[in-house]
């Protein structure tokens, strides 16, 4: 256990953790980098697939109406299910004109959700197996990760702005489904780049990984074999971690709820239905960064 200049205690690696650090320094024997690269790809793909489902739904609305009896029955069943779940608050958009549109959107949501769910479960399993990993990325590797993130942000922003600039310039004469489809298509591409770049950059921040892994550790097991002082530090970090996780859950819930309201409710429907989710995401990232920065500064300032 080390102390800061002001006399407060900070966490230091145990002998076992130091050994793991020495092993990791000679190569990625934990499979961490491969795991995080795969996670970045899957997270980005899962979100993009959901948005692509809505984009495809917009493009399908351009096709001639084909309200077959089978399609109508499928939509009626989905409509009843949604009505029961939302107490008849939500109704399907343009059911009479293009019922297949909603079916495509539902398929996109299900595929994207499945990808995200499996990715989350895989990451949780990895965190349970490796609860703490000491820093083994070189400063150059960390810099390259954030350079990739910067490049992805620039490309994503350029794609979204360019497509919407074209829509604003020439889209006045285009049909609403075409405009909506193109807008969502650009957002899907942009979100893929944003998420992939961010996760690839953040993967080199192993304090962040260790901090988030605390949420999967039973509070009664945490630091059971450590000194009382170190256990208190780990418990304090876990409290901050749990707060950060709760914040993410609440923000995600309200962001999705707002996005669904702007997409499905007749009086609120807009092509910018994704804005509540984006806003919630930005606010969450800022607050979580503050929490994590505070935890690192207070408890493990010398981690890197």
């Amino acid at each position: 256990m080390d102390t800061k200049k002001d006399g407060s205690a900070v966490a230091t690696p145990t002998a076992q953790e130091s050994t793991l650090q020495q092993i990791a320094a000679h190569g990625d024997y934990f499979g961490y980098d491969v795991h995080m690269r795969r996670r970045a790809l899957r997270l980005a793909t899962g979100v993009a697939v959901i948005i692509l489902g809505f984009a495809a739904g917009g493009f399908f609305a351009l096709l001639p109406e084909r309200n077959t009896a089978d399609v109508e029955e499928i939509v009626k069943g989905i409509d009843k299910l949604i009505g029961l779940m939302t107490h008849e608050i939500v109704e399907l958009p343009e059911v009479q004109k293009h019922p297949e549109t909603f079916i495509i959107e539902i398929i996109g949501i299900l595929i994207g959700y499945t990808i995200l769910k499996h990715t989350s479960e895989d990451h949780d399993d990895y965190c349970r197996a490796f609860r703490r990993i000491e820093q083994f990325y070189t400063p150059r590797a960390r810099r390259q990760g954030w350079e990739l993130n910067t490049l992805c942000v620039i490309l994503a922003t350029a794609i979204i702005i360019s497509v919407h600039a074209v829509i604003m310039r020439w889209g006045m004469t285009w049909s609403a489904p075409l405009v909506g489809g193109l807008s969502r298509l650009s957002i899907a591409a942009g979100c893929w780049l944003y998420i992939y770049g961010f996760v690839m950059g953040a993967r080199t921040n192993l304090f962040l990984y260790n901090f988030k892994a605390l949420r999967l550790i039973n509070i009664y097991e945490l630091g059971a074999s450590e000194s009382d002082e170190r256990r208190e530090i780990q418990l304090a970090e876990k409290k901050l971690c749990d707060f950060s996780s709760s914040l993410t859950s609440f923000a995600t819930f309200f962001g999705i709820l707002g996005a669904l309201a702007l997409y499905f409710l007749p009086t609120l429907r807009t092509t910018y239905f994704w804005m509540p989710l984006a806003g919630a995401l930005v606010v969450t990232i800022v607050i979580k960064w503050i929490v994590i920065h505070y935890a690192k500064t207070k408890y493990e300032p010398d981690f890197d």
Side-chain angles (χ1 to χ4, degrees), residues 35-102:
H35 166 74
M36 292 303 289
R37 287 176 182 272
R38 182 172 62 245
R39 181 170 182 262
L41 182 62
R42 290 179 177 178
L43 284 176
T45 301
V47 174
V49 166
I50 292 175
I51 302 175
L52 282 174
F54 287 96
F59 290 131
F60 264 81
L62 295 170
L63 300 176
E65 298 178 18
R66 295 191 304 274
N67 290 12
T68 64
D70 292 338
V71 172
E72 289 289 353
E73 288 302 317
I74 293 174
V75 174
K76 286 179 182 178
I78 296 175
D79 194 16
K80 290 180 180 178
L81 177 62
I82 293 177
L84 290 173
M85 295 174 63
T86 63
H87 301 286
E88 306 299 335
I89 294 177
V90 176
E91 64 179 25
L92 303 188
E94 301 183 14
V95 174
Q96 301 302 321
K97 294 182 179 180
H98 291 281
E100 69 277 6
T101 295
F102 185 76

Side-chain angles (χ1 to χ4, degrees), residues 142-158:
R142 280 177 270 174
R143 184 174 62 253
Q144 288 177 337
W146 288 111
E147 287 173 352
L148 174 61
N149 174 59
T150 302
L151 178 61
C152 288
V153 168
I154 293 173
L155 287 175
T157 304

